Amino acid sequence: MNTAYTCARVSLRAITKNLGVIRKRLGRSGRAGAAVMAVVKSDAYGHGMVPVSVALEEAGIDALGVAFVHEGVQLRDAGIRVPIYILSGVQHGEEGAVIDKGLSPLLCSREQFKALNRAAEKRRTRIDVHVKIDTGMGRLGFVYDEAELLAGSLACYSNVRVTGVATHLSDAAGSAYYTGLQIRRFEGARRSLESSLSRRLTAHVANTVALFSYPASHFDMVRPGIGLYGYGGKGLSPAMSVFSHLISVKTLRKGTWVSYGRTHRLKRDTRVGVIPMGYADGYSRMLSNRGFVGIKGKKVYSIGMVTMNHIMVDINDVDAHVGDGVLVIGEDRDMRIGADEIASRGSTISYEILCGMGLNVRRVYD
Ligand SMILES: *Cc1c(COP(=O)(O)O)cnc(C)c1O
């Protein structure tokens, strides 16, 4: 394997193993029958949407979830056959693609119902959709107290059949009170829709954190994203490792300023290493003067601002040379660096770190 520059190694086996952990977790709360929709939006959080989806399909995933229609189209074109849910609704002009590619949208507004109904009518077909309810996220979907009104008017859309209902939790990692409130609002909306349609709907609410912490959020299907990639629950294995290497080592004299904006001045003569990874390669500029990496099993800290394609590290305490490997995320010797650990130092979350690295550095699979 040519590991020149920086590269992200993705373990598809870790992802399917995490799916197993998630299924076991559902089983423990008596919900073994709940379906799993694997969320693979944003290029599977930087892990590669198509290879990850193929591996999950082989592992028996029930459904996939993406944010946008173009992602669903890309999956169908890659030969994926399981149901593909479009979590963020259908934008004007995408209705034909949704129908022709057999995608399953979560509809978020009456306009979307109208436009999709018209497109289905024109094709003399009927399409199954889920309704997205906004129970307190303040983002997409029908506000929960409009559900009854919506339920009463669904008959107008005779070429669109509602088969499911969903909501998204905004604070499952924070407030049990607010999460409970969202779940109650969801149940109310679901009851209105079900009683007006006189049939059961597929209900789904839980993201990864809710899946692990709130059995009451499991319903008929769960929607883990980050958990599949190894974060956000117990017993999960991170699927992405990121490695780089030193491309320059030199000793700079005490008093030298390092990087743009002169934010770091050397307090002593210092061996400074350069790593070919900057904010354009997914190493957030928020990590300026705060990041760390592993070299030969030792933690070394970044100094100065993160630049577009490079960071500088203080390697006084490690016998390192040009060409030596650098651990950015993952495990090496006794050292483990988690995306969540880096994220907290850069005032962000593991999601953003993984998406950034995965999308911008070369990926290899094992
Ligand atoms: C991204 C997303 C998920 C997955 O959330 P995780 O926290 O990554 O598990 C689930 N549902 C919706 C609607 C989403 O947008």
Side-chain angles (χ1 to χ4, degrees):
M1 182 173 80
N2 174 13
T3 56
Y5 303 102
T6 301
C7 105
R9 207 164 71 203
V10 175
S11 166
L12 296 173
R13 198 160 341 118
I15 293 172
T16 52
K17 213 177 103 198
N18 291 333
L19 173 61
V21 172
I22 284 166
R23 288 214 195 270
K24 220 175 263 164
R25 180 71 193 80
L26 292 171
R28 272 216 309 285
S29 49
R31 298 289 311 151
V36 178
M37 176 203 304
V39 178
V40 295
K41 65 194 180 194
S42 300
D43 211 21
Y45 295 36
H47 295 66
M49 182 176 71
V50 169
V52 167
S53 300
V54 168
L56 285 168
E57 191 171 53
E58 277 170 14
I61 198 71
D62 303 292
L64 297 170
V66 292
F68 305 120
V69 171
H70 63 84
E71 298 171 303
V73 169
Q74 197 188 332
L75 284 174
R76 280 283 180 258
D77 290 349
I80 295 291
R81 310 180 54 160
V82 295
I84 299 171
Y85 290 94
I86 309 297
L87 300 172
S88 306
V90 178
Q91 308 318 311
H92 190 65
E94 296 179 324
E95 295 81 8
V98 167
I99 297 167
D100 299 341
K101 298 287 179 178
L103 303 173
S104 311
L106 272 62
L107 296 191
C108 303
S109 68
R110 280 176 193 282
E111 289 67 34
Q112 292 182 3
F113 265 96
K114 256 182 233 156
L116 194 61
N117 190 62
R118 209 175 309 122
E121 210 170 63
K122 231 160 78 189
R123 287 169 164 73
R124 298 170 191 280
T125 186
R126 203 159 72 148
I127 177 164
D128 290 350
V129 304
H130 290 194
V131 175
K132 187 161 184 168
I133 304 290
D134 187 341
T135 56
M137 171 76 183
R139 193 172 62 178
L140 294 171
F142 294 87
V143 175
Y144 64 98
D145 54 11
E146 298 168 354
E148 205 165 331
L149 211 63
L150 171 71
S153 63
L154 285 175
C156 318
Y157 313 114
S158 51
N159 293 64
V160 173
R161 196 170 80 112
V162 172
T163 58
V165 57
T167 193
H168 192 45
L169 301 172
S170 68
D171 200 18
S175 164
Y177 164 73
Y178 197 71
T179 301
L181 180 64
Q182 281 198 273
I183 292 174
R184 283 196 301 282
R185 287 170 172 172
F186 175 72
E187 282 172 328
R190 175 198 185 192
R191 265 196 305 278
S192 298
L193 287 164
E194 287 185 339
S195 69
S196 143
L197 292 164
S198 313
R199 62 168 177 269
R200 280 252 313 138
L201 298 176
T202 300
H204 48 108
V205 172
N207 59 1
T208 298
V209 173
L211 195 161
F212 279 87
S213 328
Y214 296 98
S217 72
H218 291 172
F219 294 94
D220 304 309
M221 181 156 69
V222 294
R223 304 189 306 262
I226 197 77
L228 292 165
Y229 311 110
Y231 295 89
K234 276 208 184 82
L236 302 169
S237 317
M240 185 192 291
S241 314
V242 178
F243 296 95
S244 190
H245 66 198
L246 286 170
I247 61 166
S248 162
V249 172
K250 66 189 178 199
T251 300
L252 294 175
R253 270 200 295 278
K254 176 181 170 181
T256 302
W257 293 101
V258 175
S259 197
Y260 291 119
R262 300 191 303 148
T263 60
H264 185 88
R265 190 174 199 182
L266 301 178
K267 291 187 185 65
R268 52 177 177 163
D269 291 359
T270 302
R271 274 161 57 79
V272 175
V274 179
I275 300 166
M277 172 175 220
Y279 57 78
D281 312 298
Y283 204 85
S284 170
R285 199 163 169 276
M286 297 286 282
L287 288 161
S288 293
N289 284 307
R290 310 180 56 85
F292 63 86
V293 296
I295 298 179
K296 295 189 165 169
K298 267 210 168 126
K299 217 179 215 187
V300 305
Y301 289 86
S302 79
I303 51 179
M305 298 304 287
V306 171
T307 72
M308 190 178 288
N309 296 116
H310 304 95
I311 56 172
M312 277 65 93
V313 287
D314 175 337
I315 52 170
N316 267 342
D317 298 333
V318 49
D319 179 31
H321 304 276
V322 168
D324 283 349
V326 172
L327 174 71
V328 181
I329 297 178
E331 284 181 49
D332 178 41
R333 300 170 208 218
D334 287 339
M335 196 167 194
R336 183 187 168 276
I337 302 178
D340 44 357
E341 207 179 338
I342 300 179
S344 68
R345 293 187 68 90
S347 314
T348 180
I349 52 176
S350 58
Y351 301 63
E352 189 177 4
I353 297 288
L354 295 172
C355 286
M357 304 240 177
L359 290 172
N360 292 297
V361 307
R362 210 162 42 90
R363 267 195 316 252
V364 294
Y365 291 88
D366 63 8

